């Protein structure tokens, strides 16, 4: 006997409407000690991220002790009045926390990650690090020695050497931007415990600092935690000193940092241009991404895919000193490396790409791909509390409004192909680019002079 079977087909599921996404908005408050607090609730983020932004610009460093900001930042993890360096590290480990710090052009930042269940302990350790640091003499000496070792390695690293030469070439020697961010060997050698202590006393205070905290606080009495930790930090009153205006000499020229025998040439080509306070920033970011933001950008299509000069070349815009007064600027640059024999052809093709871009503009397809890559993946980029926290801290550092990042994504989505073209063409004019090349001058100097893209000079490495 045959038994007939039947199969029931269910309707195919229909896709729903995508959930609207906006960059998380923080709430702003202030503690009695003057500390500004930005809180951003992120349900489900059990690992809390916090960044303490201190108003300690590199320009405040004594000229003969440049690098003291970096030594100070690193010394915050080397013990407090009640804990040795080893005990402090042990307490961080028991709290499941990590604490890092670094000095930037306009601020000094401490970054903390800690489970929400141990937030009070983590913030207490961060607070103790800045309100009652020990600065043990032997630890300061060790940090200075480590920094001196780093300088030797930086001089041997082509990418780092290109950056040092580029900043020195682009900015006037009186500008702190022209000199190594973490100090030179000569200035770092002059740093001791007295220098670190004096610099700390002069610049670190809650009244000019901002704490950004991002995570899930549903099981935390947030205000009580703040009062018991950073709320105990006291200090003298202070006022924010605006950053100095940024000026760069973008007269078109080529500087070769000679490295005899080098089989590759490191490239850093650029100038200064609009920063995030400029209305053209979103269009500039979009256009720059089309030029060199990914493997499918114009630079990579020619220099990597068609010519095989390089493993990759990138174009980017990086804020330098930014402030609400609008006098800040960003570094607009193209960076990568090519084999030595291809140096001149690679630069010639780069200038051709830029001139073609100015003559013909971007395509709608390029613009659409860039928008999708920059805006469409934003929810993934900001899945973690630390990513959100770092961006909010960037906004604090650059004196931007709390809704800035959300507004930028809206602007990117609305930017037309023509606007992106105009912005990137204005950002990278071929006749106003400074090119710093770290490579073998005996091989690349003559062909570069034949290109006619600017005066060529050679400096020793």
């Amino acid at each position: 006997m045959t038994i007939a079977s039947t199969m029931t087909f269910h309707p195919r599921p229909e896709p729903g409407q995508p959930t609207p996404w906006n960059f998380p908005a923080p709430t702003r408050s202030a503690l009695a000690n003057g500390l500004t607090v930005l809180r951003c609730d992120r349900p489900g983020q059990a690992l809390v991220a916090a960044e303490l932004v201190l108003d300690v610009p590199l320009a405040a460093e004594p000229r003969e002790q440049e690098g003291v900001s970096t030594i100070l930042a690193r010394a915050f993890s080397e013990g407090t009045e009640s804990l040795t360096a080893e005990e402090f590290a042990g307490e961080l480990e028991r709290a499941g926390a990590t604490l890092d710090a670094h000095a930037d052009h306009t601020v000094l930042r401490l970054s903390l990650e800690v489970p929400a269940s141990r937030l009070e302990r983590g913030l207490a350790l961060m607070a103790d690090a800045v309100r009652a640091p020990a600065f043990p003499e032997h630890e300061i000496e060790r940090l200075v020695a480590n920094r001196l070792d780093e300088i030797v390695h930086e001089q041997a690293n082509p990418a780092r050497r290109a950056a040092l030469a580029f900043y020195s070439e682009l900015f006037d020697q009186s500008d702190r931007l022209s000199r190594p961010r973490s100090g030179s060997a000569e200035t770092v050698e002059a740093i001791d415990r007295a220098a670190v202590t004096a610099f700390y006393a002069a610049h670190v205070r809650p009244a000019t600092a901002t704490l950004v905290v991002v995570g899930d606080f549903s099981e935390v009495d947030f205000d009580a935690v703040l009062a018991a930790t950073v709320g105990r930090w006291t200090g003298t009153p202070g006022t924010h000193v605006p950053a100095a205006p940024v000026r760069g000499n973008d007269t078109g020229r080529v500087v070769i940092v000679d490295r005899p025998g080098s089989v590759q040439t490191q490239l850093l080509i650029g100038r200064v241009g609009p920063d995030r306070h400029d209305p053209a920033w979103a269009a500039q970011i979009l256009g720059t991404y089309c030029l060199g933001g990914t493997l499918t950008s114009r630079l990579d299509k020619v220099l990597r895919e068609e010519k095989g000069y390089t493993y990759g070349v990138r174009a980017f815009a990086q804020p330098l000193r930014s402030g609400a007064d609008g006098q800040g600027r960003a570094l607009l640059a193209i960076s990568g490396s090519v084999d030595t024999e291809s140096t001149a052809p690679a630069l010639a093709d780069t200038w051709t790409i830029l001139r073609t871009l100015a003559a013909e503009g971007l395509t709608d397809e390029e613009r659409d791909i860039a928008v999708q890559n920059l805006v469409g993946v934003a929810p993934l980029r900001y899945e973690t509390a630390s990513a959100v926290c770092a961006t909010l801290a960037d906004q604090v550092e650059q004196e931007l409004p709390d809704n800035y990042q959300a507004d930028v994504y809206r602007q990117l989505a609305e930017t037309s192909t023509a606007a992106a073209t105009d912005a990137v063409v204005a950002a990278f004019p071929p006749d106003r680019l400074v090119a710093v090349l770290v490579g073998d001058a005996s091989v690349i100097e003559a062909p570069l002079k034949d290109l006619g893209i600017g005066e060529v000079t050679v400096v020793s490495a």
Side-chain angles (χ1 to χ4, degrees):
M1 183 176 64
T2 302
I3 300 175
S5 61
T6 60
M7 182 178 294
T8 302
F9 292 93
H10 296 280
R12 182 178 65 181
E14 295 295 329
Q17 290 297 317
T19 303
W21 181 88
N22 285 306
F23 183 81
T27 57
R28 181 179 285 259
S29 62
L31 302 185
N33 60 4
L35 179 70
T36 299
V37 178
L38 268 66
R39 166 181 171 170
C40 186
D41 291 87
R42 301 289 289 160
Q45 293 285 353
L47 188 62
V48 175
E51 291 224 17
L52 184 62
V53 183
L54 303 175
D55 191 17
V56 185
L58 296 186
E61 295 177 320
R63 179 67 178 85
E64 68 280 5
Q65 293 172 337
E66 288 182 347
V68 68
S69 292
T70 293
I71 301 300
L72 171 61
R74 297 175 181 181
F76 280 134
S77 296
E78 301 303 329
T80 67
E81 291 178 354
S82 60
L83 296 171
T84 66
E86 293 78 11
E87 290 169 340
F88 187 83
E91 287 298 310
L92 281 172
E93 185 174 346
R94 278 185 284 276
T98 59
L99 181 65
D100 297 298
H102 74 276
D104 213 332
H105 288 298
T106 52
V107 298
L108 191 157
R109 284 164 61 165
L110 284 83
S111 304
L112 172 75
E113 281 192 307
V114 63
S117 59
R118 300 187 183 99
L119 178 60
E120 182 170 350
R121 185 56 184 149
L123 281 181
L125 290 167
M126 173 188 269
D128 286 349
V130 294
R131 74 178 186 85
F135 299 142
E137 186 169 1
H138 67 282
E139 296 291 358
I140 299 298
E141 291 173 352
R142 180 181 60 81
L143 292 172
V144 168
N146 288 347
R147 174 61 196 138
L148 291 173
D149 287 341
E150 288 177 358
I151 292 172
V152 175
H153 290 289
E154 288 172 357
Q155 293 294 328
N157 182 288
R160 184 64 185 139
R161 188 65 186 86
L164 291 170
F166 186 85
Y167 278 76
S168 178
E169 182 68 30
L170 192 61
F171 301 107
D172 187 86
Q173 294 305 298
S174 63
D175 192 327
R176 182 65 179 87
L177 284 168
S178 71
R179 301 187 292 278
R181 182 179 306 188
S182 298
S184 64
E186 180 183 8
T187 61
V188 172
E189 284 179 342
I191 299 171
D192 56 15
R193 183 181 188 277
V196 174
T197 302
F199 193 71
Y200 164 83
H203 300 287
V204 178
R205 53 179 60 87
T208 55
T210 299
L211 176 68
V212 182
V213 192
V214 181
D216 188 338
F217 309 119
S218 59
E219 303 297 324
V220 175
D221 187 339
F222 191 77
D223 292 336
V225 167
L226 291 182
T229 57
V230 291
R232 297 174 57 216
W233 179 20
T234 59
T236 58
T239 57
H240 170 67
V241 178
V246 176
R247 303 283 185 266
N249 177 8
D250 61 358
T251 302
R253 58 197 184 278
V254 178
V255 177
I256 302 173
V257 180
D258 189 22
R259 288 174 63 89
S262 177
V263 298
Q264 286 190 325
T265 300
Q266 186 71 37
L267 315 175
L268 186 54
I269 306 163
R271 56 189 290 267
V272 295
D275 73 346
R276 288 175 173 164
H277 290 271
D278 194 288
W281 176 260
Q284 180 175 266
I285 287 295
L286 193 60
T288 301
Y289 190 90
C290 294
L291 173 64
T294 184
L295 291 173
T296 60
S297 64
R298 289 203 175 191
L299 288 170
D300 258 21
K301 280 183 177 178
V302 175
L303 303 182
R304 180 176 183 269
E305 300 297 331
E306 294 179 13
K307 301 299 180 69
Y309 296 148
T310 177
Y311 289 116
V313 176
R314 291 292 172 268
F316 59 90
Q318 174 183 310
L320 295 167
R321 288 193 304 249
S322 290
D325 59 6
Q327 298 192 74
R329 306 288 276 172
L331 173 64
L332 310 175
I334 297 169
S335 177
S337 61
V338 299
D339 66 275
T340 298
E341 298 297 334
S342 300
T343 302
L347 258 68
D349 284 337
T350 298
W351 261 247
T352 298
I353 291 168
L354 295 174
R355 293 184 180 114
T356 301
L357 181 60
E360 301 177 1
L362 297 168
T363 66
D364 291 338
E365 181 182 11
E366 287 176 306
R367 178 264 177 201
D368 293 345
I369 291 173
V371 169
Q372 179 58 38
N373 288 347
L374 291 170
V375 181
V377 302
L380 297 176
R381 179 182 177 189
Y382 293 108
E383 277 189 320
T384 64
S386 61
V388 174
C389 190
T391 297
L392 291 173
D394 287 344
Q395 293 180 176
V396 171
E397 177 179 345
Q398 295 161 32
E399 301 178 18
L400 295 163
D402 294 342
N403 64 344
Y404 176 80
Q405 193 65 39
D407 197 45
V408 163
Y409 281 119
R410 178 189 58 78
Q411 293 177 37
L412 286 170
E414 296 174 355
T415 298
S416 67
T417 304
T421 297
D422 291 344
V424 70
V425 168
F428 294 95
D431 60 339
R432 291 173 57 194
L433 294 176
V434 179
V436 170
L437 315 177
V438 180
D440 191 335
S442 66
V443 178
I444 65 178
E445 180 181 7
L448 288 172
K449 287 182 176 179
D450 293 340
L451 292 182
I453 59 176
E455 180 183 359
V456 178
T457 59
V458 179
V459 298
S460 62

